[in-house]
Every structure is written in structure tokens, then in C-alpha cells.
Amino acid sequence: MTFLGITVYNAALLGCMLLNVSTKGSIGSFETMGISFAESHFGLQPALAGTIVSINGLIGVGCLLSMGYLGRLLTDIQMIIGGIAVCAIGIISFASLESVEMGAENSIVHYIIGIFMIYGIGYPIGHTAVIGLFSKVVGRRPQGTLQGWFASAGSLARILFPVMSGYIAQYDDITTVFIVLFVVLVISNIFVAMSAKTLEALSV
């Protein structure tokens, strides 16, 4: 079956690569802006902000180690949608905040919870499930070239998304960056939800 000359299989591969781009690009953007955002909107010292991110990164490692167990309870599609949704909520929770210079007194608890949703749960589960889904869709076909394209797409996203975010933050506001990332992740989840049956069929 083809659509606009593209087979369903190739469309699924492309979709997985775009999911890789959206998840890696979003986390790359947030990593670029995260510490400066913690300083400007929460008044945190870089060392403390870095410690919070590191601790939640360790929690994320725990999530990665539990993927085998989660895989018995949830499908890759469910983990992708859930992980991306949690990550998106964590990011958009920062969008309405004003900076300390504007007189805002934002709670450090808000920062911790947001970082936990992004680094501790959302990204590690969602992105790892994307990798798993892509590998299953590829199946027994030669994976070397396709995995190379997949990795290259993610690496390119981690280059382009931070550049885009830097320009947006410079000419508009850092909170606008979070809105853009949220929209990207929501669109990604809509794609996954609409393509769920096809992706599940191809990943068997």
C-alpha cells in the first residue's frame, strides 16, 4: 500500500525518525536553556540547578533500567504517548512564569517537579520507547544503514533545535521556546495516536 508514492512501511520509518527528532530536539533545547532559566525565573544558583537536573537524570536512569518491566505492562505506543505527554506537561508548566527581575517569586518546588517530569520520567521513557519501536519496525531487515539514519536525525535535531531556541529566546522570550516545544511534542503525540494501529502491526 502506498500514499503519495511512499509505502506504509517507509512512512512508518519516517514517522519514527521524526519522533526521534522531536524528542531529542526538545530535550536538547531544554538542556541549552535550562540552567539560565533556573537562574532568571527561580533565582537558583547554577550549582543547585545542575544538582537538581543531575538527581532527576539519575531517576531517569532508574526508569531506563525498568523498561523491561514496563514493557510487560505497556506497549511501545503507550509508553511513547505517555512519556511525551509527561515531558510536554513538564515543559509547558514553565511557560507562564515571569522572571525574578519582574518581581516573580516562583517556588523551587515547581522547578523540581517540572524537571522531574522532563528528565526523570517523560524523556527517558518516551524516547527509549521510540528507539524500541523503530527497531521493531525495521525488524529483520538490515538495520545498520537505517539505524545510522535514525541516529543522524537525532543528532541533527540536537544541533538545530537549540539554535532555533536561541533565536526565539533572543528575539522574543524564553517562555515562547517552551510553548514551541510543547506544540512540537503535542503534534508528535497526535501522529502516534492516529498511526497507532499501523505502527503496532508493523512492529510485530
Side-chain angles (χ1 to χ4, degrees), residues 54-110:
S54 296
I55 291 172
N56 283 283
L58 287 174
I59 295 172
V61 171
C63 286
L64 292 176
L65 294 174
S66 67
M67 287 297 289
Y69 174 74
L70 290 175
R72 293 195 291 270
L73 301 176
L74 303 169
T75 65
D76 286 330
I77 301 298
Q78 290 170 331
M79 286 190 286
I80 290 170
I81 291 176
I84 290 178
V86 170
C87 189
I89 292 170
I91 290 173
I92 199 63
S93 72
F94 295 133
S96 62
L97 301 181
E98 293 187 347
S99 66
V100 173
E101 289 184 354
M102 298 293 290
E105 296 182 2
N106 301 312
S107 172
I108 188 176
V109 175
H110 185 166

Coordinates of all heavy atoms in Angstrom, one line a residue, residues 54-110:
S54 N 20.8 16.8 37.7 CA 21.5 15.5 37.8 C 20.8 14.5 38.6 O 20.8 13.3 38.2 CB 22.9 15.8 38.5 OG 23.7 16.7 37.7
I55 N 20.2 14.9 39.7 CA 19.4 13.9 40.5 C 18.3 13.3 39.7 O 18.0 12.1 39.7 CB 18.9 14.6 41.8 CG1 20.1 14.9 42.7 CG2 17.9 13.7 42.5 CD1 19.7 15.7 43.9
N56 N 17.6 14.2 39.0 CA 16.5 13.7 38.1 C 17.0 12.9 37.0 O 16.3 12.0 36.5 CB 15.6 14.8 37.7 CG 14.7 15.4 38.8 OD1 13.7 14.8 39.1 ND2 15.1 16.5 39.4
G57 N 18.2 13.2 36.5 CA 18.8 12.3 35.5 C 19.1 10.9 36.0 O 18.9 9.9 35.3
L58 N 19.5 10.8 37.3 CA 19.7 9.5 37.9 C 18.3 8.8 38.0 O 18.3 7.5 37.8 CB 20.3 9.7 39.3 CG 21.8 10.1 39.3 CD1 22.2 10.3 40.8 CD2 22.6 9.0 38.7
I59 N 17.3 9.5 38.3 CA 15.9 8.9 38.4 C 15.6 8.4 37.0 O 15.0 7.3 36.8 CB 14.9 9.9 38.9 CG1 15.2 10.3 40.3 CG2 13.5 9.3 38.8 CD1 14.3 11.4 40.9
G60 N 15.9 9.2 36.0 CA 15.7 8.7 34.6 C 16.4 7.5 34.3 O 15.9 6.6 33.6
V61 N 17.7 7.3 34.8 CA 18.4 6.1 34.6 C 17.7 4.9 35.2 O 17.6 3.8 34.6 CB 19.8 6.2 35.2 CG1 20.5 4.8 35.2 CG2 20.7 7.2 34.4
G62 N 17.1 5.1 36.4 CA 16.2 4.1 37.0 C 15.1 3.7 36.1 O 14.7 2.5 36.0
C63 N 14.5 4.7 35.5 CA 13.4 4.4 34.5 C 13.9 3.6 33.4 O 13.2 2.6 32.9 CB 12.7 5.7 34.0 SG 11.7 6.6 35.2
L64 N 15.0 3.9 32.9 CA 15.6 3.1 31.8 C 15.8 1.7 32.2 O 15.6 0.8 31.4 CB 16.9 3.8 31.3 CG 16.8 5.1 30.6 CD1 18.2 5.7 30.3 CD2 16.0 5.1 29.4
L65 N 16.3 1.5 33.4 CA 16.6 0.1 33.9 C 15.3 -0.7 34.1 O 15.3 -1.9 34.1 CB 17.4 0.2 35.2 CG 18.8 0.7 35.0 CD1 19.5 0.9 36.4 CD2 19.7 -0.1 34.1
S66 N 14.2 0.0 34.2 CA 12.9 -0.6 34.5 C 12.1 -0.8 33.2 O 11.0 -1.2 33.2 CB 12.1 0.1 35.5 OG 11.7 1.4 35.0
M67 N 12.7 -0.5 32.0 CA 12.0 -0.5 30.8 C 11.5 -1.9 30.4 O 10.4 -2.1 29.8 CB 12.8 0.0 29.6 CG 13.0 1.5 29.6 SD 11.4 2.4 29.4 CE 11.1 2.1 27.7
G68 N 12.3 -2.9 30.8 CA 11.9 -4.3 30.6 C 10.6 -4.6 31.3 O 9.7 -5.3 30.8
Y69 N 10.5 -4.2 32.6 CA 9.3 -4.4 33.4 C 8.1 -3.6 32.8 O 7.0 -4.1 32.6 CB 9.5 -4.0 34.8 CG 8.3 -4.1 35.7 CD1 7.7 -5.3 36.1 CD2 7.6 -2.9 36.1 CE1 6.6 -5.4 36.9 CE2 6.5 -3.0 36.9 CZ 6.0 -4.2 37.2 OH 4.8 -4.3 38.0
L70 N 8.4 -2.3 32.4 CA 7.3 -1.5 31.9 C 6.8 -2.1 30.5 O 5.6 -2.0 30.2 CB 7.8 -0.1 31.6 CG 8.1 0.8 32.9 CD1 8.7 2.1 32.5 CD2 6.8 1.0 33.7
G71 N 7.7 -2.7 29.8 CA 7.4 -3.3 28.5 C 6.4 -4.4 28.6 O 5.7 -4.8 27.7
R72 N 6.4 -5.1 29.8 CA 5.4 -6.2 30.0 C 4.0 -5.6 30.4 O 3.0 -6.3 30.3 CB 5.9 -7.1 31.1 CG 7.2 -7.9 30.7 CD 7.4 -9.0 31.7 NE 7.8 -8.6 33.0 CZ 9.1 -8.3 33.4 NH1 10.1 -8.5 32.5 NH2 9.4 -7.9 34.6
L73 N 4.0 -4.4 30.8 CA 2.7 -3.8 31.3 C 2.1 -2.9 30.2 O 0.9 -2.8 30.1 CB 2.9 -2.9 32.5 CG 3.5 -3.7 33.8 CD1 3.7 -2.7 34.9 CD2 2.5 -4.7 34.2
L74 N 3.0 -2.2 29.4 CA 2.6 -1.3 28.4 C 3.2 -1.6 27.1 O 4.3 -2.1 27.0 CB 3.0 0.2 28.8 CG 2.5 0.7 30.2 CD1 3.2 1.9 30.6 CD2 1.0 0.9 30.2
T75 N 2.5 -1.2 26.0 CA 3.1 -1.3 24.6 C 4.0 -0.1 24.4 O 4.0 0.9 25.1 CB 2.0 -1.3 23.6 OG1 1.3 0.0 23.6 CG2 0.9 -2.4 23.9
D76 N 4.8 -0.3 23.3 CA 5.7 0.9 22.9 C 4.9 2.1 22.7 O 5.3 3.2 23.0 CB 6.5 0.5 21.7 CG 7.6 -0.5 22.0 OD1 8.1 -0.5 23.1 OD2 7.9 -1.3 21.1
I77 N 3.8 2.0 22.0 CA 2.9 3.1 21.7 C 2.4 3.8 22.9 O 2.5 5.0 23.0 CB 1.7 2.7 20.8 CG1 2.1 2.0 19.5 CG2 0.8 3.9 20.5 CD1 2.9 2.9 18.6
Q78 N 2.0 3.0 23.9 CA 1.5 3.6 25.2 C 2.6 4.3 25.9 O 2.4 5.4 26.5 CB 0.9 2.5 26.1 CG -0.4 2.0 25.5 CD -0.9 0.7 26.3 OE1 -0.1 0.0 26.8 NE2 -2.2 0.6 26.3
M79 N 3.8 3.7 25.9 CA 5.0 4.4 26.6 C 5.4 5.7 25.8 O 5.8 6.6 26.5 CB 6.1 3.4 26.7 CG 5.9 2.3 27.7 SD 7.4 1.3 28.0 CE 7.5 0.3 26.6
I80 N 5.3 5.6 24.5 CA 5.7 6.8 23.7 C 4.7 8.0 24.1 O 5.1 9.1 24.4 CB 5.7 6.5 22.2 CG1 6.9 5.6 21.9 CG2 5.8 7.9 21.4 CD1 6.8 5.1 20.5
I81 N 3.4 7.7 23.9 CA 2.4 8.7 24.2 C 2.5 9.2 25.6 O 2.4 10.4 25.9 CB 1.0 8.1 23.9 CG1 0.8 7.9 22.4 CG2 -0.1 9.1 24.4 CD1 -0.5 7.3 22.0
G82 N 2.6 8.3 26.6 CA 2.7 8.7 28.0 C 3.9 9.5 28.3 O 3.9 10.5 29.0
G83 N 5.1 9.0 27.8 CA 6.3 9.7 28.0 C 6.4 11.1 27.4 O 6.8 12.1 28.1
I84 N 6.0 11.2 26.2 CA 5.9 12.5 25.5 C 5.0 13.4 26.2 O 5.2 14.6 26.4 CB 5.6 12.4 24.0 CG1 6.8 11.7 23.3 CG2 5.3 13.7 23.4 CD1 6.6 11.5 21.8
A85 N 3.8 12.9 26.6 CA 2.8 13.7 27.3 C 3.3 14.3 28.6 O 3.2 15.5 28.9 CB 1.5 12.9 27.5
V86 N 4.0 13.5 29.4 CA 4.6 13.9 30.7 C 5.6 15.0 30.4 O 5.7 16.0 31.1 CB 5.1 12.7 31.5 CG1 5.9 13.2 32.7 CG2 4.0 11.8 31.9
C87 N 6.5 14.7 29.5 CA 7.5 15.7 29.1 C 6.9 17.0 28.7 O 7.4 18.1 29.1 CB 8.4 15.1 28.0 SG 9.9 16.0 27.7
A88 N 5.9 16.9 27.8 CA 5.3 18.2 27.3 C 4.6 19.0 28.5 O 4.7 20.2 28.5 CB 4.2 17.8 26.3
I89 N 4.0 18.3 29.4 CA 3.4 18.9 30.5 C 4.4 19.6 31.4 O 4.2 20.8 31.9 CB 2.5 18.0 31.4 CG1 1.3 17.5 30.5 CG2 2.0 18.6 32.7 CD1 0.5 16.3 31.2
G90 N 5.5 18.9 31.6 CA 6.6 19.5 32.4 C 7.2 20.8 31.7 O 7.4 21.8 32.4
I91 N 7.3 20.7 30.4 CA 7.8 21.9 29.7 C 6.8 23.1 29.7 O 7.2 24.2 30.0 CB 8.2 21.5 28.3 CG1 9.4 20.6 28.3 CG2 8.4 22.8 27.4 CD1 9.8 20.1 26.9
I92 N 5.6 22.8 29.4 CA 4.6 23.9 29.3 C 4.3 24.5 30.7 O 3.8 25.6 30.8 CB 3.3 23.4 28.7 CG1 2.5 24.6 28.2 CG2 2.5 22.5 29.6 CD1 3.1 25.4 27.1
S93 N 4.6 23.7 31.8 CA 4.3 24.3 33.1 C 5.2 25.5 33.4 O 4.9 26.3 34.3 CB 4.6 23.2 34.2 OG 6.0 22.9 34.3
F94 N 6.3 25.6 32.7 CA 7.2 26.8 32.9 C 6.8 28.0 32.0 O 7.4 29.1 32.2 CB 8.6 26.4 32.5 CG 9.2 25.3 33.5 CD1 9.9 24.2 33.0 CD2 9.1 25.4 34.8 CE1 10.4 23.3 33.8 CE2 9.6 24.5 35.7 CZ 10.3 23.4 35.2
A95 N 5.9 27.8 31.0 CA 5.7 28.8 30.0 C 5.0 30.1 30.6 O 5.2 31.2 30.0 CB 4.8 28.3 28.9
S96 N 4.3 30.0 31.6 CA 3.5 31.1 32.2 C 4.3 31.9 33.2 O 3.8 32.9 33.7 CB 2.2 30.7 32.7 OG 2.4 29.8 33.8
L97 N 5.5 31.5 33.6 CA 6.2 32.1 34.7 C 6.9 33.4 34.2 O 7.4 33.5 33.1 CB 7.3 31.1 35.2 CG 6.8 29.8 35.7 CD1 8.0 28.9 36.2 CD2 5.8 30.0 36.8
E98 N 6.9 34.3 35.1 CA 7.7 35.6 34.9 C 9.0 35.5 35.6 O 9.3 34.6 36.5 CB 6.9 36.8 35.4 CG 5.6 37.0 34.7 CD 4.9 38.3 35.1 OE1 5.3 38.9 36.2 OE2 4.0 38.8 34.4
S99 N 10.0 36.3 35.2 CA 11.3 36.3 35.7 C 11.4 36.9 37.1 O 10.5 37.7 37.5 CB 12.3 37.0 34.7 OG 12.0 38.3 34.7
V100 N 12.5 36.6 37.7 CA 12.8 37.2 39.1 C 12.9 38.7 38.9 O 12.5 39.4 39.8 CB 14.0 36.5 39.7 CG1 14.4 37.3 41.0 CG2 13.8 35.1 39.9
E101 N 13.5 39.2 37.8 CA 13.6 40.6 37.6 C 12.3 41.3 37.6 O 12.2 42.5 37.9 CB 14.4 40.8 36.3 CG 15.9 40.5 36.4 CD 16.6 40.8 35.1 OE1 15.9 41.3 34.1 OE2 17.8 40.7 35.1
M102 N 11.3 40.6 37.1 CA 9.9 41.2 37.1 C 9.2 41.1 38.4 O 8.0 41.5 38.5 CB 9.1 40.5 36.0 CG 9.7 40.6 34.6 SD 9.6 42.3 34.0 CE 7.8 42.5 33.8
G103 N 9.9 40.6 39.4 CA 9.3 40.6 40.8 C 8.7 39.2 41.1 O 8.1 39.1 42.2
A104 N 8.8 38.2 40.2 CA 8.2 36.9 40.5 C 8.9 36.2 41.6 O 10.1 36.3 41.7 CB 8.2 36.1 39.2
E105 N 8.2 35.4 42.4 CA 8.8 34.6 43.4 C 8.3 33.1 43.1 O 7.4 32.6 43.8 CB 8.3 35.0 44.8 CG 8.9 36.4 45.1 CD 8.5 36.8 46.5 OE1 7.8 36.0 47.3 OE2 8.8 38.0 46.9
N106 N 8.9 32.5 42.1 CA 8.5 31.2 41.7 C 9.1 30.1 42.7 O 10.3 30.2 43.0 CB 8.9 30.9 40.3 CG 8.3 31.9 39.3 OD1 7.1 32.2 39.3 ND2 9.2 32.5 38.5
S107 N 8.3 29.2 43.0 CA 8.7 28.2 44.0 C 9.7 27.2 43.4 O 9.5 26.7 42.3 CB 7.5 27.4 44.5 OG 7.9 26.3 45.3
I108 N 10.7 26.9 44.2 CA 11.7 25.9 43.7 C 11.1 24.5 43.5 O 11.5 23.7 42.7 CB 12.9 25.8 44.7 CG1 14.0 24.9 44.2 CG2 12.4 25.3 46.1 CD1 15.2 24.8 45.1
V109 N 10.0 24.3 44.3 CA 9.2 23.0 44.2 C 8.7 22.9 42.7 O 8.7 21.8 42.2 CB 8.1 22.9 45.2 CG1 7.2 21.7 45.0 CG2 8.6 23.0 46.6
H110 N 8.2 24.0 42.2 CA 7.7 23.9 40.8 C 8.9 23.5 39.8 O 8.7 22.7 38.9 CB 7.2 25.3 40.4 CG 6.6 25.4 39.0 ND1 5.8 26.5 38.6 CD2 6.6 24.6 38.0 CE1 5.4 26.3 37.4 NE2 5.9 25.1 37.0

